[in-house]
Amino acid sequence: MKLKFCLLLFLFVECVFFKVQCKCVKGCDIALASYYVKPAFIFQNITNFMQSKIVSVSHSSEIIIRYNKDIVSNHGDLFSLFRVNIPFPCDCIGGEFLGHVFEYTANKGDTFDLIANYYYVSLTSVELLQKFNSYDPNNIPIKEKVNVTVNCSCGNSQVSKDYGLFVTYPLRSSDTLEKIARQSNLDEGLLQSYNSGVNFSKGSGIVFIPGRDQNGDYVSLYPRIGLAF
Ligand SMILES: *[C@@H]1O[C@H](CO)[C@@H](O)[C@H](O)[C@H]1NC(C)=O
Ligand SMILES: *[C@@H]1O[C@H](CO)[C@@H](O)[C@H](O)[C@H]1NC(C)=O
Ligand SMILES: *[C@@H]1O[C@H](CO)[C@@H](O)[C@H](O)[C@H]1NC(C)=O
Ligand SMILES: *[C@@H]1O[C@H](CO)[C@@H](O)[C@H](O)[C@H]1NC(C)=O
């Protein structure tokens, strides 16, 4: 705890007073990952991949159901070919960017491409896996831990103070700005401002879109109340 505080203070002092190029000082308690559920996956697979201090083995389904009341019935039976929002902690990684490092345990035949685009449904990328793991991308030792980094956002006061919870949303070929705006009931201009220069129709890459809390409401940037998990 003390160490964490010192590190935070150090980053803060370094970034604020010495104007060193720091992209982030601290993260936020929660972000959401938009996980596109494939037919072959069972609920347990997804909670294994997306485990964190928020989604733990013991109560993963309750937590996930809370953030997806609209698509999950109380019986917990999922849902395939749907996007599920999975909560995770959004950390400041090395003062460089906001993200969270998940731990994946490698199986026989795994490659960075398979992990990034199949198991983690493009929430991460091969480049990020290469950056945070020393393994050969096509020959990962079985049962070894792989650092899977997923980017996140805590909001942007320059765009709007009305939104403080964000979904890391991998774009699929069926997505367009208009469609995402309609589904989230948000303004296209607002979504574009949070992702400046991004072509929402490009079918790959990630965007950040405001997300709803456990009550189905958008959360304002300050204070981030009601976000306890
Ligand atoms: C999904 O979980 C089942 C049961 O635990 C397991 O046999 C299977 O290998 C898992 N699939 C993946 C892709 O991890
Ligand atoms: C996540 O953020 C890092 C640092 O800004 C960036 O290099 C990377 O391309 C991003 N990853 C994805 C999947 O967009
Ligand atoms: C995963 O990240 C941790 C912490 O940064 C690092 O110590 C470890 O070596 C990384 N794993 C691999 C396989 O590179
Ligand atoms: C966005 O990407 C789509 C698909 O690649 C392309 O058809 C479209 O022209 C692009 N739009 C702009 C404004 O570049």
Side-chain angles (χ1 to χ4, degrees):
M1 194 63 213
K2 213 167 179 180
L3 184 73
K4 211 171 156 189
F5 178 75
C6 288
L7 198 70
L8 207 69
L9 190 71
F10 173 75
L11 278 174
F12 184 77
V13 168
E14 197 180 50
C15 300
V16 175
F17 296 103
F18 295 96
K19 303 244 190 283
V20 174
Q21 269 284 312
C22 270
K23 307 276 168 39
C24 59
V25 175
K26 69 195 262 308
C28 47
D29 291 343
I30 299 188
L32 299 169
S34 175
Y35 193 103
Y36 184 81
V37 183
K38 300 209 171 88
F41 287 1
I42 57 170
F43 191 68
Q44 197 196 335
N45 291 131
I46 299 166
T47 56
N48 272 343
F49 301 153
M50 302 301 289
Q51 237 172 77
S52 68
K53 66 177 189 222
I54 301 180
V55 173
S56 63
V57 193
S58 56
H59 61 295
S60 56
S61 41
E62 298 150 53
I63 291 282
I64 292 174
I65 288 166
R66 270 190 236 155
Y67 282 90
N68 295 278
K69 292 197 184 100
D70 48 339
I71 53 165
V72 191
S73 74
N74 257 335
H75 310 298
D77 46 347
L78 295 181
F79 59 41
S80 197
L81 305 179
F82 262 106
R83 284 178 179 269
V84 183
N85 282 336
I86 315 244
F88 68 101
C90 183
D91 313 315
C92 170
I93 299 183
E96 285 286 319
F97 66 100
L98 292 174
H100 180 75
V101 182
F102 292 94
E103 247 183 23
Y104 172 80
T105 306
N107 288 312
K108 192 168 188 295
D110 281 348
T111 61
F112 280 175
D113 183 45
L114 200 63
I115 295 172
N117 297 314
Y118 192 66
Y119 301 139
Y120 285 87
V121 288
S122 304
L123 282 161
T124 187
S125 61
V126 172
E127 292 71 37
L128 276 177
L129 290 178
Q130 263 161 349
K131 186 170 170 188
F132 289 95
N133 296 281
S134 47
Y135 306 128
D136 171 348
N138 296 309
N139 190 12
I140 304 164
I142 297 167
K143 296 223 157 62
E144 287 297 317
K145 304 269 185 246
V146 180
N147 294 318
V148 177
T149 309
V150 174
N151 292 1
C152 51
S153 169
C154 295
N156 183 344
S157 59
Q158 278 159 22
V159 173
S160 170
K161 294 190 173 63
D162 294 338
Y163 303 97
L165 171 64
F166 282 79
V167 184
T168 299
Y169 188 102
L171 293 167
R172 298 181 60 82
S173 54
S174 56
D175 288 319
T176 63
L177 178 57
E178 190 256 325
K179 187 176 150 195
I180 296 173
R182 181 159 29 81
Q183 281 169 353
S184 54
N185 201 16
L186 293 168
D187 184 65
E188 287 181 27
L190 180 84
L191 294 179
Q192 191 71 73
S193 307
Y194 278 120
N195 302 278
S196 61
V198 175
N199 179 349
F200 279 67
S201 304
K202 70 181 174 177
S204 65
I206 55 172
V207 289
F208 299 111
I209 61 176
R212 296 172 189 267
D213 67 7
Q214 306 176 32
N215 302 316
D217 299 324
Y218 286 116
V219 183
S220 67
L221 192 55
Y222 315 114
R224 305 168 120 255
I225 45 168
L227 266 184
F229 45 87

